[in-house]
Amino acid sequence: RAKRGSARGRMAAPMEIEYEKNVRPWLELAEDLRTLSLDSQLAVPQICVMGDQSSGKSSVLEALSGVPFPRGSGLVTRCPCRMVMRRAPPEAGWSAVASTTSSGGQSVTAESPEQLTSIIARLTESLTRNSHGFSTEAIVVRLTSPESPDLTVVDLPGIVRTATAGQNAAVIDDVNALIDAYLAEERTIILAVIPANQDIATVDILERAQRVDPEGERTLGVLTKPDLVGPGNEEEVVAVLTNVRKPLKLGYVMVKNRSQAQVKQNTTRESARAEEARFFEGHAVFSRLDKRLLGVSNLTTSLTKLLVRRIQEELAPMKRQVEILLSKVRAEVRSLSSYGTASTPSERQKLLVTLTQEFVRHLNDCVRGEYRDRLIVCNPNLRLYTRALIIFQELQSRIVATAPNFRAPNFIGDLATQMEALRGRELPGFMSAQSFYMFVQEYIDAWLPPARMAAAQMRSLASEVVKELFENIAVSYPVMREAFQTITASILETTEDESVHLLEGLITREKDPFTINEFLQAHINKLRYDRFEAAVESSFAVVASGSGSGGGSSWQATKEHVASSLRTWYRDAHGVSSSANAEDMSAILEAYWTLASKRFVDNACMCLDDRILGTLCAKLQEKCYHFVHDDERLETFFTEDANIVARRRDLELTRDRLVKANAAMANIQAARKPRATNAAKQPDANDRTALVQLSLLIGPQGLGLQLADERSEVVVRGFRPGSTAQQAGVRLGDVLLEINGQTSASFAEAIQRLKALGQGPVHLKLDRRGDTSAVNGGATPTVAAPPP
């Protein structure tokens, strides 16, 4: 007997070492990630016990943990309860600590399972006292004992269909919302608890699970209360248990928990397990089933393997998610940081100079339209000169809109009337220069309102950009920002007045017509030629239509008609008459207006650019440096905004937790056997391995693989959505041996080969190890036999 015990000890020791090496690190990783309080940012794989009220959920949790949870009818579980179980060495005792997610770290220690039951009941009351008997806050129990499995499960309230007496009707929607939230989380393993004596077709939890997990990748069924199955109904239970009816990819396990009578009799955990084993062994129908489908021990083993595998599968996606979150949090922390803090007068002086220099440097880039800094590149609102160009374009459009319609008949008629009213001693055939000057002044007066509007827009734009820029640079110093904004407003008010004065001067100068630009002469000639060309085309158009002299049938008649038409046009346009003078004056006015308006728009834009934008940086810098020796003002300047300080502190804590999470996931390695040489490798019945050769087509998105370097092997650890490789049969844990018949000496070389692949066919050789079949019902994958 002593030798047999010694032999069992020698066998158990390697198994324990293998367990500590391959299982516990993954469970500890998940718990470490969960304790980092990243629930709102990072979903960690977990097992959730779900089912109808009185389906045996708490009994299943009691069987797993050894803790007698409250039982009864109605809503017994009134808040989530997360049970973190860890196996302790044989010499260690039983211990448990309970807390709530809203307790701020305060916990209660239990010295026995019974005491823990009372603590759970007391915490439940405290959480649900003010929330109509239900709470979304969770109880967290951390339990260690030699008998505990290494497992973490969450017990959720049972599905509520009707409110009982004294129960708030709102609890139905609250419980359903809580269960749906856990169901919807893609990393949650659904442990669906179903009474064996209930018709499987009426089980609500399976229908809900199928909606969120249609492929059954994360749903495991647990049948309870097998002792209540009536005679003749056993075959129905067997059909469910063997995945014939209502099949699940992960299958089902059936357990027999302590009955209410056994609870009252204080039946021990060991006795309950022994009673369960006797029940299944002695049952006429259930005894013929695969033993792996029965018993709490098999359920515990299956859950542990399932949880570890789920954590391994989700490691790469979780790490990628954490890295994305970390990048965003770091960016937000940077955005809430103001180049340091200052507590002494000299530090405040230095910080003021630093902030002013940074502000002026960025503002100068904004004014000059040189967008090299990340702050400006990422914030289009800070691109000052780009936005100023829009104001310039609007000014040009408004000036153009003031132009009279020089070619309209009514304009020429009105112009003739006005010229006659202004006629003095000019001889017939001569135009009055005074008339030209008066008309030009009248038209140019219309430019002043658009010019003033542009100056106001430039002032408003500069003020907006200065405010937003300084909010980004001195984000946590509201008093300083307000003071700088006041200075900016004063400077811009002055420069706007100066700009308007300069614009008015430009308009005054434009009212006194002048140019040595050949554009005016060329444009007048062009307008006159255009009018002559239009007259010629009109004459021929009349002939072509057949309404001219001779009906267009004689060349002589055509010439006579065209000549007559042109003579009439020339007499009207260039004869000695008021209408002829008005026609010519309109051409000269149009040419000069076009020249003057273009010149004014250019000069006005340069004025606004130079006077408002060009002087802003230097004036602001000069004004800000006046505060360098004002210790009292500096002290108020560098009083940080309490809300921003609190927000930054929260972000820094989140950043630190994400860094720890990233490090934890980066450090863990999948425990695998080293590859042995053909000469040294000995066959082992438990060492399942196969060589798989796959041919597939690479699409535009590549293979969609997430690979890891594990002991110089290229291991598949994840897939991107729509992965071609996954659809072709590549699985998690596969080791990439060859790419198109070529081996790789290192991980880097393999990655380089994969990146060099273009679209088209590729041949992969994989080493597939281990049994990835489900608890039951899931068939072992069929792979190609090793080549001879």
Side-chain angles (χ1 to χ4, degrees):
R1 188 181 299 112
K3 288 182 180 180
R4 284 197 300 270
S6 176
R8 283 196 299 269
R10 288 194 300 270
M11 292 175 62
M15 291 177 63
E16 183 69 22
I17 293 172
E18 188 69 15
Y19 182 88
E20 292 289 331
K21 179 181 177 183
N22 294 340
V23 175
R24 179 163 289 185
W26 294 100
L27 299 175
E28 293 299 338
L29 170 65
E31 194 56 32
D32 289 344
L33 294 176
R34 196 172 285 108
T35 55
L36 289 172
S37 301
L38 293 171
D39 293 346
S40 60
Q41 291 104 355
L42 180 68
V44 180
Q46 59 185 350
I47 299 172
C48 290
V49 186
M50 305 180 187
D52 284 339
Q53 295 182 44
S54 306
S55 61
K57 295 185 299 80
S58 296
S59 299
V60 170
L61 195 57
E62 173 188 314
L64 294 172
S65 65
V67 177
F69 278 74
R71 297 189 183 197
S73 59
L75 189 63
V76 177
T77 304
R78 290 179 287 157
C79 62
C81 180
R82 188 166 81 235
M83 179 71 70
V84 183
M85 296 168 282
R86 292 295 179 266
R87 185 168 53 188
E91 63 274 10
W94 187 98
S95 65
V97 175
S99 61
T100 66
T101 52
S102 61
S103 62
Q106 298 181 355
S107 59
V108 183
T109 302
E111 297 180 356
S112 67
E114 293 73 20
Q115 187 179 3
L116 180 58
T117 303
S118 300
I119 292 173
I120 292 174
R122 190 166 67 249
L123 292 176
T124 300
E125 289 298 325
S126 67
L127 289 177
T128 60
R129 185 179 299 115
N130 299 321
S131 54
H132 52 261
F134 170 79
S135 176
T136 57
E137 297 290 342
I139 297 172
V140 181
V141 177
R142 303 181 187 280
L143 168 64
T144 59
S145 75
E147 295 81 21
S148 294
D150 281 298
L151 200 59
T152 299
V153 293
V154 180
D155 186 25
L156 296 178
I159 298 171
V160 181
R161 304 185 190 280
T162 57
T164 59
Q167 193 176 69
N168 193 313
V171 75
I172 299 176
D173 294 333
D174 292 342
V175 171
N176 285 334
L178 176 69
I179 293 173
D180 289 342
Y182 277 90
L183 282 170
E185 175 48 57
E186 293 183 354
R187 292 179 184 140
T188 293
I189 298 170
I190 304 167
L191 191 63
V193 179
I194 308 152
N197 60 336
Q198 182 177 340
D199 183 4
I200 196 75
T202 65
V203 176
D204 188 15
I205 187 58
L206 289 180
E207 298 301 322
R208 295 192 186 200
Q210 189 173 23
R211 285 198 293 269
V212 298
D213 181 31
E215 300 300 324
E217 299 283 351
R218 55 188 182 92
T219 304
L220 175 66
V222 178
L223 300 181
T224 60
K225 306 178 182 181
D227 50 323
L228 300 183
V229 177
N233 294 326
E234 294 90 351
E235 294 303 325
E236 181 71 18
V237 176
V238 170
V240 174
L241 198 57
T242 55
N243 247 0
V244 174
R245 189 177 179 200
K246 205 71 174 181
L248 295 175
K249 195 167 187 177
L250 299 180
Y252 295 83
V253 175
M254 185 160 63
V255 299
K256 181 182 180 300
N257 300 317
R258 290 194 305 171
S259 65
Q260 193 62 36
Q262 290 175 321
V263 171
K264 292 180 179 179
Q265 296 169 4
N266 293 324
T267 301
T268 64
R269 183 180 185 181
E270 292 75 14
S271 300
R273 292 283 178 89
E275 170 63 23
E276 178 189 50
R278 286 194 297 271
F279 172 81
F280 286 126
E281 289 172 0
H283 196 281
V285 177
F286 300 151
S287 61
R288 299 196 299 267
L289 295 172
D290 188 336
K291 298 298 184 290
R292 291 178 297 178
L293 305 180
L294 307 171
V296 173
S297 297
N298 287 321
L299 174 62
T300 302
T301 302
S302 298
L303 288 177
T304 302
K305 290 181 179 179
L306 184 59
L307 181 58
V308 168
R309 190 175 71 197
R310 192 71 178 173
I311 296 169
Q312 291 174 339
E313 291 172 348
E314 294 295 330
L315 179 63
M318 286 194 299
K319 192 172 187 301
R320 186 170 62 254
Q321 183 181 352
V322 166
E323 288 170 349
I324 294 172
L325 288 170
L326 186 57
S327 176
K328 291 180 179 179
V329 169
R330 281 172 170 164
E332 191 170 355
V333 169
R334 284 195 302 269
S335 71
L336 295 180
S337 301
S338 299
Y339 297 89
T341 58
S343 57
T344 66
S346 62
E347 289 177 348
R348 288 191 282 268
Q349 289 176 349
K350 292 178 182 178
L351 186 54
L352 174 68
V353 172
T354 300
L355 289 174
T356 302
Q357 289 176 342
E358 282 297 305
F359 170 70
V360 171
R361 180 176 67 83
H362 283 86
L363 182 59
N364 190 57
D365 288 345
C366 296
V367 168
R368 294 173 59 84
E370 298 175 352
Y371 311 134
R372 293 185 294 266
D373 192 276
R374 179 178 177 81
L375 175 62
I376 305 173
V377 170
C378 297
N379 193 339
N381 289 336
L382 295 179
R383 299 171 193 172
L384 177 56
Y385 201 78
T386 302
R387 299 175 66 186
L389 289 175
I390 297 174
I391 296 175
F392 295 158
Q393 291 166 358
E394 291 175 351
L395 171 62
Q396 182 181 32
S397 299
R398 293 190 184 102
I399 295 296
V400 171
T402 67
N405 190 352
F406 294 102
R407 305 186 187 188
N410 60 338
F411 174 80
I412 296 175
D414 293 341
L415 188 62
T417 302
Q418 291 174 347
M419 290 175 65
E420 282 298 317
L422 294 171
R423 175 170 292 280
R425 298 184 62 180
E426 295 89 356
L427 295 175
F430 289 88
M431 288 188 296
S432 170
Q434 180 184 357
S435 300
F436 174 76
Y437 276 74
M438 290 184 64
F439 294 144
V440 166
Q441 290 175 5
E442 178 186 348
Y443 302 150
I444 291 178
D445 276 335
W447 297 351
L448 185 57
R452 286 176 173 167
M453 181 182 293
Q457 288 178 311
M458 288 294 290
R459 171 189 175 180
S460 176
L461 173 60
S463 177
E464 178 189 335
V465 171
V466 167
K467 180 181 179 182
E468 188 165 347
L469 179 60
F470 209 71
E471 282 177 349
N472 280 276
I473 291 177
V475 63
S476 57
Y477 301 125
V479 177
M480 186 180 186
R481 293 202 307 268
E482 185 177 350
F484 276 38
Q485 192 64 29
T486 302
I487 295 171
T488 303
S490 175
I491 293 172
L492 291 175
E493 183 178 0
T494 301
T495 54
E496 182 190 7
D497 291 341
E498 293 173 354
S499 298
V500 170
H501 180 71
L502 291 173
L503 292 172
E504 291 172 346
L506 288 174
I507 289 177
T508 300
R509 287 195 292 274
E510 291 294 348
K511 286 182 179 180
D512 186 12
F514 173 80
T515 184
I516 60 170
N517 197 323
E518 294 180 355
F519 169 84
L520 179 63
Q521 179 180 347
H523 198 63
I524 292 173
N525 290 333
K526 180 182 182 302
L527 291 175
R528 288 173 174 171
Y529 176 79
D530 289 345
R531 291 179 181 181
F532 172 71
E533 186 178 28
V536 172
E537 289 180 355
S538 176
S539 299
F540 278 100
V542 172
V543 174
S545 67
S547 59
S549 177
S553 58
S554 166
W555 171 242
Q556 184 64 30
T558 299
K559 287 195 297 180
E560 290 177 359
H561 171 75
V562 172
S564 174
S565 177
L566 290 177
R567 281 194 295 271
T568 301
W569 170 82
Y570 187 83
R571 187 168 52 248
D572 293 340
H574 297 287
V576 180
S577 65
S578 298
S579 60
N581 288 343
E583 186 84 22
D584 210 30
M585 175 67 80
S586 70
I588 298 171
L589 286 173
E590 182 179 356
Y592 186 79
W593 190 96
T594 302
L595 168 68
S597 64
K598 291 179 180 293
R599 182 171 60 197
F600 174 76
V601 169
D602 285 342
N603 288 331
C605 292
M606 287 189 291
C607 170
L608 295 173
D609 185 7
D610 176 69
R611 188 61 55 175
I612 295 180
L613 301 184
T615 63
L616 183 58
C617 294
K619 290 182 176 181
L620 268 173
Q621 186 173 25
E622 180 184 356
K623 292 285 187 181
C624 293
Y625 281 161
H626 288 171
F627 297 114
V628 169
H629 300 294
D630 190 341
D631 292 342
E632 185 176 347
R633 291 293 298 274
L634 287 180
E635 187 173 357
T636 60
F637 278 1
F638 295 114
T639 300
E640 291 195 273
D641 186 321
N643 293 330
I644 291 180
V645 171
R647 173 63 178 161
R648 187 171 62 232
R649 186 185 305 116
D650 292 343
L651 286 171
E652 288 171 346
L653 291 174
T654 302
R655 177 197 61 195
D656 295 342
R657 289 195 291 264
L658 288 171
V659 168
K660 292 178 181 178
N662 199 32
M665 288 187 283
N667 289 335
I668 191 168
Q669 293 289 333
R672 298 180 295 105
K673 299 176 182 178
R675 297 176 64 186
T677 62
N678 293 333
K681 184 172 178 68
Q682 299 297 324
D684 186 346
N686 295 322
D687 184 14
R688 301 184 182 183
T689 182
L691 296 180
V692 181
Q693 298 194 36
L694 295 176
S695 296
L696 57 152
L697 288 175
I698 303 178
Q701 305 301 322
L703 291 172
L705 291 172
Q706 294 171 352
L707 304 173
D709 183 2
E710 298 179 6
R711 299 178 185 175
S712 300
E713 291 184 333
V714 184
V715 184
V716 178
R717 285 301 174 207
F719 302 99
R720 289 194 295 273
S723 168
T724 305
Q726 186 179 23
Q727 295 171 3
V730 179
R731 298 180 183 176
L732 292 172
D734 285 354
V735 180
L736 185 58
L737 300 179
E738 293 181 3
I739 303 168
N740 288 333
Q742 295 180 320
T743 60
S744 302
S746 65
F747 179 81
E749 182 179 338
I751 295 299
Q752 188 173 1
R753 284 186 191 278
L754 290 172
K755 287 184 176 180
L757 295 174
Q759 296 188 35
V762 62
H763 305 285
L764 302 179
K765 186 175 183 180
L766 306 168
D767 184 0
R768 183 165 294 165
R769 303 167 185 173
D771 183 8
T772 59
S773 61
V775 175
N776 70 300
T780 302
T782 303
V783 296

